[in-house]
Amino acid sequence: MVASPVVDSRFRLSEETAIQLASEFGTPLYVVSEEHFRSRIQRYRNAFKTAYSRGKISYASKANSTLALIKIAYQEGCSIDVASEGELRVALAAGVPADECHLHGNNKQAAELEFALTAGIGHIVADSFEELALLDGLMTPAQRSATKIVLRLAPGVDPITHAKMSTGQADTKFGFNIADGSAEKAAAKCLELKLNLYGFHCHVGSQLLDPEAQRSGGELIAAFAVDMKEKLGFAAEYLNVGGGLGVAYTADQQPMGVEDYCRLVVQSVIEALAGSGIDPILGQEPGRSLIAESGVTLYRVGVIKTVPAPEVGRRTYVAVDGGLSDNPRPALYGSKYTVERVAPNADPTGSQTVTVSGKHCETDKLFDAVELPSDLKAGDLLQVLCTGAYNASMASNYNRYPRPATALVRKDGSLCLIQRRDSWEEMLAREILPEGLI
Ligand code: LLP
């Protein structure tokens, strides 16, 4: 059998557009393609609807909560998954009705629950017995009937991903454990408190290239729903299988096609529900798989130096004008990326293996062992692919670097900013020098 060719569907900039963006908006710069993002959402939504007519996609805004991107996700038919009051406020500012948002969090504060309830949030994904008690105390009678409660379950599935991105295993801070009986007690508690219990949720982990964990997560929460119908007489109206597929940070990472993925997950849920009379709306809330591949980060090359390196003989460091503060993922998770020079390689001697480093006060290997043209020089522009998710949303001001701007390549090819770079004024705006400090 001949293997089908792998299609690299990640967005990348042409040399001309990259040069224009860098000269108009500076570097480092996050860049997102509107067309790419919209078509990713459309493909995912169609795949899910085809697999299950009552399928509903939410955009997990933690992946990238830039206002304009949340607006695009909503325009394309997603409801919005928010993980904090801050993300909810941005979704509302983007014009998303509160009842099209749902709120996550393992330790929600009374103030954020009150904000969400007053705004009219669609549903709250409850995570602990303390939260159920808090909601019981906070809700007005009208809110008690209007606000749907979904229980986050820990199905005891251990996915293959970075430990910091696994959430569905039994030993987790998230949700109600099915195996130890907590989940059943939580469902009974909701009914006793007359909360508007709507259904069940699980999220087993992120950047999953093998969908087995999500498949079995879906199966387990569906089986739990059947159990709750038998034991408590509660028929779930809603099940949510959490985040989506992993993405291709490097060419060797090949996630399953979203059509096959949706069929697989839906099939596991349907089989587990068979004969139960439960016919729920089925939710998924992907973040990474909708936005990651639609974004790149542009950097400008500065210092290049080759040093003795015991492990590899000699190492060439290529320093760029950003790093840890705009992309903490290599340091946090050991993530690898695809790094390309925007200008094609005209050098007949080919490429060299280099370590791209940031400009922060860390001995970092931002992008280690990447192939770049051997005539690489200071001033060249590099684009790092697949940085649309968990880069802008996890950026910091470490070393007091301004967080980068985000530019959007519009559908018609025009370029605009959707988030400007931090200014020096706002860098100092929160500082307070107490009276009399010598
Ligand atoms: N739903 C819930 C409840 C989640 O916790 C997450 C991600 C998602 C949905 C979206 O998952 P996705 O489709 O994006 O895989 N900072 C890490 C990622 C942590 C994700 C945590 N939860 C990173 O940079 O990779």
Side-chain angles (χ1 to χ4, degrees), residues 133-428:
L134 202 52
L135 283 167
D136 183 46
L138 284 174
M139 282 172 152
T140 63
Q143 287 167 346
R144 189 176 293 261
S145 57
T147 314
K148 299 181 183 103
I149 304 297
V150 172
L151 294 180
R152 172 143 179 189
L153 308 181
V157 173
D158 216 344
I160 306 162
T161 186
H162 192 283
K164 287 181 190 154
M165 297 177 216
S166 321
T167 52
Q169 67 276 23
D171 179 3
T172 173
K173 69 177 181 179
F174 294 106
F176 298 96
N177 195 292
I178 296 182
D180 78 354
S182 302
E184 182 178 338
K185 282 195 198 119
K189 192 75 192 165
C190 286
L191 300 179
E192 178 199 321
L193 295 174
K194 303 213 165 7
L195 300 179
N196 184 359
L197 182 60
Y198 185 42
F200 306 112
H201 177 288
C202 75
H203 170 78
V204 294
S206 201
Q207 182 53 8
L208 304 180
L209 292 167
D210 173 356
E212 173 49 29
Q214 278 127 322
R215 196 204 58 75
S216 64
E219 188 176 26
L220 285 164
I221 62 163
F224 178 78
V226 175
D227 205 26
M228 290 307 97
K229 190 169 177 220
E230 283 163 10
K231 290 188 173 143
L232 305 176
F234 167 73
E237 292 171 64
Y238 178 79
L239 295 178
N240 189 317
V241 293
L245 277 168
V247 295
Y249 286 105
T250 52
D252 60 330
Q253 295 181 321
Q254 283 309 319
M256 179 181 244
V258 71
E259 293 76 13
D260 289 339
Y261 172 71
C262 286
R263 264 196 300 274
L264 191 80
V265 170
V266 165
Q267 195 188 353
S268 72
V269 171
I270 288 179
E271 278 171 13
L273 292 178
S276 68
I278 301 174
D279 181 23
I281 293 173
L282 188 56
Q284 279 191 60
E285 48 195 29
R288 192 188 312 268
S289 51
L290 298 183
I291 184 70
E293 294 187 7
S294 308
V296 301
T297 305
L298 264 186
Y299 298 101
R300 201 174 285 282
V301 172
V303 172
I304 301 179
K305 64 171 76 148
T306 300
V307 300
E311 295 158 31
V312 283
R314 291 175 79 68
R315 186 190 302 281
T316 298
Y317 281 100
V318 173
V320 293
D321 52 356
L324 189 61
S325 59
D326 59 73
N327 187 350
R329 300 192 71 262
L332 264 176
Y333 315 118
S335 306
K336 307 275 180 237
Y337 281 86
T338 305
V339 183
E340 296 177 354
R341 185 170 71 176
V342 301
N345 188 2
D347 182 8
T349 62
S351 64
Q352 55 179 327
T353 307
V354 303
T355 298
V356 176
S357 67
K359 70 193 288 289
H360 299 73
C361 296
E362 305 274 328
T363 302
D364 66 315
K365 296 191 175 85
L366 184 62
F367 308 118
D368 197 16
V370 296
E371 289 294 303
L372 286 171
S374 35
D375 63 350
L376 189 76
K377 56 189 184 315
D380 283 353
L381 285 173
L382 301 182
Q383 61 179 328
V384 180
L385 306 189
C386 203
T387 57
Y390 303 115
N391 274 213
S393 61
M394 289 173 70
S396 75
N397 286 125
Y398 179 50
N399 282 162
R400 294 284 188 174
Y401 286 119
R403 286 168 300 176
T406 303
L408 189 69
V409 179
R410 302 296 312 269
K411 273 197 302 192
D412 62 5
S414 63
L415 308 172
C416 66
L417 275 192
I418 53 172
Q419 193 170 66
R420 64 162 174 73
R421 195 172 304 280
D422 280 330
S423 70
W424 296 119
E425 290 71 36
E426 63 202 347
M427 194 79 83
L428 279 161

